Amino acid sequence: MAPRVWLVTASIYVLENIWGFYARGDLDGVEKIIVVDEGDEITRRKSLEMLKGLDIEFHGPREREGFFRSRYGSSHERYLSLVPERSHAETSYGFMLAYEAGADYVIEIDDDVYPENGYSLVRDHIASLNPSPGKYVESPGRWINTVDLLILDPQIDLYPRGHPYDPSTRVRNYRYRDAEGSCVLNMGLWTGHPDLDALTILYLGGIDGRAPVSSIGVREKRVIPEAGNYFSVCSMNTSFSNKIIPAFYQLYMRYMGIDRFDDIWSGIFVKRIADRVGDKLCIGSPAARHMKRPRSTWKDLRAELEGMIINEILWKIVDQVDIYSKNYADAYLELADGIEKRIGEFRDDNHRKFIETQVSKMRIWVEALDKIG
């Protein structure tokens, strides 16, 4: 029996990129597309006209509130609070819909990601999630630099958004060994604009949100970071199994001036839990083309700066939390408890308040899924 695949995207634009995948037949096998948007009817109508033949649903603020009211009644505001407004982290809502419906796999694609020749979005993601050959990779610095898996033009030493700045995490000397197995999450790579933080983009001279460097290809088709090794999970071209959704809440962003770490931290959390459970995450195929729209690098820098400081501490706490559960929901709650116990390691009062909010949302997320699962 073919797996049930849902595609989730957050967008306020006409979905020209989805049409690009559709026109090539790359969406064959997708049961439903969930678009988390802000409710603009003109944009929706244009997208629907373009994507005739697809089962596509748009969920803006009105639809989201209706969903939570219908599922949670008088408590709906508690669960609606999981979804930030006008933030990429709204994709959590789409994951919740897929979880309730019992979809086997979710593919998340950003609205500035387009097809790349030689790859098929759905087919290659499902192949990477299921048993297939690749390489295990291990770093003495505990972090895999995903940009190392790209062919850059010009060739330059870069690290992705979310990779810690601590020099101990920025070492190579990777060790590889042959591997074959299944994964619960697969991060597809990209050509076009690499996923870099604002500080790096500014250093390279990009003030419109885009660095003057391009990915022109992918070096590795499938690698699996060893247990205890982390990587910066960028969700713009990612697929995952239904089983991890209870531990894959996209952290609450656009809060206290902090944004753009929802996928980074959710990726660190789920990697830690997958290591404990005995599951694997992988990186590689399919590649897609990232055509980033112009934006203010200065605005991104403001949104990222405090998160960058938190990131240096948070991943180490997550790495050291004791997790005993062998299922994702219970392990996620253990992780939330462990983070809360060490919240004093964040020296800034605002950072502690921010993390307290994240821990609270993590618990509400598990509670919400438990009520509809």
Side-chain angles (χ1 to χ4, degrees):
M1 182 181 297
R4 298 180 60 200
V5 180
W6 282 35
L7 187 148
V8 173
T9 188
S11 181
I12 58 172
Y13 298 100
V14 177
L15 300 172
E16 295 177 352
N17 69 318
I18 301 297
W19 182 87
F21 288 109
Y22 181 44
R24 289 168 32 128
D26 284 359
L27 299 186
D28 291 349
V30 171
E31 178 178 293
K32 187 182 289 291
I33 297 175
I34 298 296
V35 183
V36 187
D37 68 359
E38 299 305 322
D40 184 84
E41 293 297 338
I42 295 176
T43 301
R44 290 179 175 185
R45 187 164 58 250
K46 290 179 179 178
S47 292
L48 284 171
E49 290 173 356
M50 181 185 298
L51 299 171
K52 289 179 180 177
L54 290 175
D55 186 348
I56 182 168
E57 293 181 2
F58 294 86
H59 289 258
R62 177 172 54 84
E63 290 84 2
R64 297 197 290 271
E65 182 170 0
F67 171 84
F68 284 105
R69 281 185 181 276
S70 68
R71 302 311 191 273
Y72 305 108
S74 60
S75 301
H76 76 279
E77 290 187 358
R78 171 177 174 80
Y79 303 106
L80 180 60
S81 72
L82 289 165
V83 186
E85 295 183 359
R86 299 181 178 274
S87 168
H88 182 269
E90 290 175 334
T91 51
S92 290
Y93 171 78
F95 302 169
M96 181 178 285
L97 297 182
Y99 186 81
E100 181 188 51
D104 297 306
Y105 299 111
V106 175
I107 296 175
E108 182 183 2
I109 198 84
D110 279 4
D111 62 8
D112 59 358
V113 174
Y114 290 77
E116 181 56 88
N117 292 333
Y119 297 90
S120 174
L121 183 73
V122 176
R123 184 190 66 215
D124 291 346
H125 266 302
I126 300 305
S128 289
L129 290 167
N130 283 285
S132 52
K135 296 179 181 177
Y136 281 117
V137 59
E138 183 176 18
S139 169
R142 307 281 307 285
W143 276 78
I144 310 300
N145 178 5
T146 57
V147 176
D148 284 345
L149 305 178
L150 307 177
I151 302 170
L152 297 183
D153 182 24
Q155 190 60 47
I156 185 172
D157 187 20
L158 296 175
Y159 291 82
R161 175 179 60 92
H163 193 114
Y165 274 81
D166 184 336
S168 70
T169 70
R170 297 193 164 210
V171 296
R172 298 325 201 287
N173 299 323
Y174 301 139
R175 294 179 290 272
Y176 291 94
R177 60 187 177 93
D178 291 339
E180 183 165 345
S182 59
C183 295
V184 292
L185 179 146
N186 177 60
M187 188 183 87
L189 292 171
W190 52 91
T191 60
H193 297 107
D195 185 38
L196 308 174
D197 64 29
L199 186 61
T200 301
I201 292 171
L202 282 174
Y203 175 75
L204 295 173
I207 60 173
D208 67 349
R210 302 177 296 183
V213 60
S214 181
S215 167
I216 58 175
V218 175
R219 296 185 187 279
E220 299 284 355
K221 284 294 187 75
R222 189 173 187 262
V223 298
I224 302 173
E226 295 272 17
N229 280 238
Y230 297 90
F231 65 97
S232 182
V233 174
C234 169
S235 64
M236 67 183 173
N237 171 27
T238 302
S239 60
F240 50 91
S241 166
N242 174 290
K243 71 183 288 189
I244 76 166
I245 291 177
F248 201 49
Y249 173 61
Q250 304 297 284
L251 276 293
Y252 194 80
M253 293 290 112
R254 294 196 72 182
Y255 175 66
M256 297 182 66
I258 298 173
D259 199 5
R260 291 175 55 76
F261 277 89
D262 48 312
D263 50 354
I264 303 300
W265 291 333
S266 66
I268 293 172
F269 293 2
V270 82
K271 179 59 166 67
R272 175 70 181 89
I273 293 172
D275 286 351
R276 168 58 186 159
V277 171
D279 289 332
K280 307 297 183 186
L281 277 59
C282 50
I283 313 166
S285 180
R289 185 159 189 82
H290 184 209
M291 300 175 64
K292 191 175 183 180
R293 296 182 180 90
R295 55 195 289 164
S296 169
T297 314
W298 305 108
K299 183 177 179 180
D300 280 350
L301 181 62
R302 285 196 297 268
E304 293 174 12
L305 183 56
E306 297 302 318
M308 291 166 68
I309 300 170
I310 292 171
N311 194 46
E312 299 293 324
I313 303 168
L314 182 59
W315 87 265
K316 295 177 182 177
I317 292 175
V318 170
D319 181 60
Q320 295 166 11
V321 167
D322 290 327
I323 297 175
Y324 301 99
S325 301
K326 297 289 282 187
N327 72 75
Y328 281 86
D330 290 344
Y332 199 57
L333 293 175
E334 284 189 277
L335 181 61
D337 291 344
I339 294 171
E340 184 176 54
K341 288 175 182 176
R342 295 181 58 177
I343 207 163
E345 294 181 29
F346 298 94
R347 297 179 180 178
D348 188 288
D349 289 344
N350 287 330
H351 294 173
R352 289 194 292 272
K353 180 180 177 182
F354 179 85
I355 294 298
E356 286 170 356
T357 298
Q358 304 307 319
V359 167
S360 173
K361 301 290 187 186
M362 291 166 69
R363 291 170 175 149
I364 295 172
W365 174 253
V366 174
E367 180 183 313
L369 293 184
D370 184 58
K371 289 178 179 293
I372 65 172

